[in-house]
Amino acid sequence: MSSLVPGQTIGVLGGGQLGRMIILEGRKMGYRFVTLDPSEDAPGVQISDHHIKAGFDDIHAADQLASLSDLIIYEFENIDPNVVRRIAEQKNVPQGTKLLEVTRHRLMEKAAIEEAGVPVASYAKVSSVEELQQAIKKIGLPAVLKTVTGGYDGKGQWTFHTLEDVNQWLDQHHSMSQTYILEKFIPFLKEISVVVARSVTGEIKAFPPAVNIHRNHILHLSIAPATIAEATNKRAVQLAEQIAEHLQMVGLLAVEMFLHADGHLYINELAPRPHNSGHYTYDACNPSQFEQMIRAVIGLPLITPTLYHQAIMMNLLGEHQEAFFQTFSDLPPHIKPHWYGKTEAKTGRKMGHITLLTEDISRGLAELDQLKICPALTATEQTAIWTKEKGYTVD
């Protein structure tokens, strides 16, 4: 039996577009929503029943959110776990703080994935020039240096191909005043992701994997079903469910993976929330990732995801706004627009997305190119979508 009934209130830490889409799905089920966010006009704030304008480190605001809510969730991970812990002392926070603590710290995240028995690229903790030099000797080049906390869409990370790249980075940063993680660069064939739901009851359901194309470290396209071998598809779902079960997480977990040409998968990152690469589920799947999250945190039975259409999700960034508006009235019925209501369009800022429903991914990609909202797919991107990996076999 659900711990929450229609008419009760769900508090949301965060007012971004993920919160917006969670709220839109929750309204269908009869729930009310209160948001806490520093912005007074964020996407989720615009459609909430009540809003608390405050920072995520504001203890008084956290107490107020708890007092107004029957159950509380978070829609992104850069929140102080101490604030979430304080709220959890007063009201039910099904997602808890463990997953938040693990996924916001890359070293803890890598260790947790390894503990689940799931492969990751070789990595090392780096907090001094000496440790960086030792890590490079151990791991080799190319490698990627990342901050252990913060950073998204490529921010807070640097790729080293040669020792000259390392020296140039050291010249710019002079000293290492924080802790980093150095990861072996995986020469991946494709980037894929699996969004998996786990309920407060322990029930687990995974959505179909998607292949992702990034531009400037920002997700550009997600394609579902993924253009991968069936054995790889099953393996990706298995790994995602294995991590979710090991972490005993509740809600949604997005598991991002690198697919090597030999068919092996390596986990890259985790996100404890709805994920950009799962937006295709809103229009192409039953349920959407947002409905499934609500069902998971309140204890309703999870729905076995069914993909009704092949789908391509394309992000719309600030630099695409004008072209999108010019095209909007001519969009055919099988292209579903989603606009987040952000008031200022900035380069690289996610303003919305469109989802194209199709019976043929190749034709769908060509149709998106013809819209001329974004630059056409490059030969490299086409290769990343269509090149087949070798069949995966369990070692």
Side-chain angles (χ1 to χ4, degrees), residues 80-222:
D80 186 346
N82 291 321
V83 172
V84 180
R85 196 173 290 111
R86 180 183 178 99
I87 293 173
E89 291 173 354
Q90 304 171 62
K91 289 291 171 66
N92 183 17
V93 184
Q95 291 158 287
T97 59
K98 178 184 176 182
L99 187 64
L100 194 62
E101 291 166 348
V102 168
T103 56
R104 73 196 301 269
H105 193 284
R106 288 190 170 99
L107 282 167
M108 292 177 63
E109 181 176 275
K110 294 291 185 189
I113 296 169
E114 286 184 309
E115 289 168 3
V118 175
V120 296
S122 299
Y123 69 95
K125 175 185 176 183
V126 172
S127 55
S128 68
V129 174
E130 292 74 19
E131 287 185 354
L132 176 59
Q133 293 169 338
Q134 292 170 4
I136 289 172
K137 288 181 181 179
K138 174 186 173 184
I139 293 173
L141 295 175
V144 182
L145 185 71
K146 301 178 182 179
T147 56
V148 295
T149 58
Y152 61 95
D153 290 344
K155 299 177 178 66
Q157 57 182 271
W158 304 266
T159 301
F160 301 146
H161 295 280
T162 65
L163 289 175
E164 183 179 348
D165 293 337
V166 178
N167 292 330
Q168 288 180 352
W169 186 88
L170 288 170
D171 287 342
Q172 294 173 0
H173 292 81
H174 303 296
S175 64
M176 302 186 72
S177 57
Q178 59 179 307
T179 301
Y180 298 85
I181 180 173
L182 186 75
E183 301 176 14
K184 178 70 176 177
F185 180 82
I186 300 294
F188 57 86
L189 183 66
K190 302 174 191 281
E191 294 181 68
I192 67 176
S193 58
V194 179
V195 176
V196 58
R198 185 175 182 276
S199 172
V200 292
T201 66
E203 186 181 13
I204 293 180
K205 300 287 184 182
F207 287 90
V211 163
N212 302 317
I213 298 295
H214 289 78
R215 288 180 172 175
N216 299 318
H217 302 286
I218 300 173
L219 183 64
H220 173 51
L221 297 179
S222 285

Side-chain angles (χ1 to χ4, degrees), residues 12-15 36-38 54-59 62 75-76 78-80 83:
V12 185
L13 278 164
L36 189 157
D37 192 277
F56 299 116
D57 58 351
D58 189 323
I59 294 298
E75 58 111 33
F76 77 123
N78 290 323
I79 304 171
D80 186 346
V83 172

Side-chain angles (χ1 to χ4, degrees), residues 25 29 195-199 203-208 252 285-296 299-308:
E25 288 289 66
M29 302 167 73
V195 176
V196 58
R198 185 175 182 276
S199 172
E203 186 181 13
I204 293 180
K205 300 287 184 182
F207 287 90
L252 292 185
C285 205
N286 178 42
S288 72
Q289 63 171 337
F290 307 101
E291 179 186 349
Q292 193 83 307
M293 177 172 175
I294 293 173
R295 300 181 76 89
L300 286 176
L302 299 183
I303 299 171
T304 300
T306 300
L307 187 65
Y308 289 127

Side-chain angles (χ1 to χ4, degrees), residues 57 77 99 113 120 221 234 239 287 313 339 345 356 365 374-375:
D57 58 351
E77 59 267 44
L99 187 64
I113 296 169
V120 296
L221 297 179
K234 291 180 179 178
L239 293 178
M313 189 284 303
W339 199 247
L356 181 146
L365 290 169
C374 305

